[in-house]
Amino acid sequence: MKRSTVNPWDWSLKLGYNQAEMIEGATRQVICAGQTAVDSEGNPQHPGDMRGQISLALDNLEAVLKGAAMDLSNVTKLGVYATDVDEALKNLDLMGMRFGPHQVAPPMTLLGVTRLAIPSLLFEIEATAAA
């Protein structure tokens, strides 16, 4: 799979994502449901702790990708939902810490929502991946 970035402006790079990516030669695609800060039984974790929830949601995303024989380097698009956008932005360095070693910055949308499916959850991330 070949990835080519499309960035007519560079402001998004400072926030850790590309405006677009052209994907060529992919033979498999995985569409991941939103991952949140829940344990293996589906129980919410880290109540009131945005950073803890982002970290666990990323752990869960990585586990789903691993189940498809992929990792974060395969992610081509992210959708992020947060009940407090300002608090999420303060902690998005965690995204850079996870995606940076893979040298990818997938296009991303961050939306503020009034609540998630489980009221104690603060953050959810969905992904599309390709290989």
Side-chain angles (χ1 to χ4, degrees):
M1 173 180 83
K2 179 183 174 195
R3 300 170 79 125
S4 302
T5 62
V6 179
N7 287 305
W9 318 277
D10 66 356
W11 62 263
S12 65
L13 297 175
K14 297 171 191 157
L15 296 173
Y17 68 93
N18 290 309
Q19 289 292 317
E21 290 186 346
M22 186 169 32
I23 307 298
E24 299 175 85
T27 58
R28 293 186 300 130
Q29 185 177 40
V30 174
I31 300 169
C32 303
Q35 298 301 307
T36 59
V38 296
D39 63 17
S40 62
E41 302 293 318
N43 300 309
Q45 303 295 304
H46 309 293
D49 177 7
M50 180 69 77
R51 191 166 187 84
Q53 288 199 18
I54 291 172
S55 183
L56 184 52
L58 288 167
D59 289 347
N60 290 341
L61 175 59
E62 287 187 280
V64 170
L65 291 169
K66 185 177 179 182
M70 293 186 185
D71 61 30
L72 294 178
S73 71
N74 298 103
V75 173
T76 58
K77 184 176 185 324
L78 293 169
V80 176
Y81 307 90
T83 59
D84 183 338
V85 171
D86 292 329
E87 191 63 23
L89 286 170
K90 289 178 193 173
N91 291 285
L92 282 189
D93 63 305
L94 292 170
M95 302 276 282
M97 292 167 62
R98 299 289 185 96
F99 284 90
H102 296 281
Q103 298 183 333
V104 296
M108 175 179 70
T109 298
L110 169 61
L111 295 173
V113 297
T114 55
R115 65 163 272 197
L116 295 169
I118 300 171
S120 63
L121 294 176
L122 308 172
F123 183 88
E124 185 165 343
I125 185 168
E126 61 185 14
T128 301

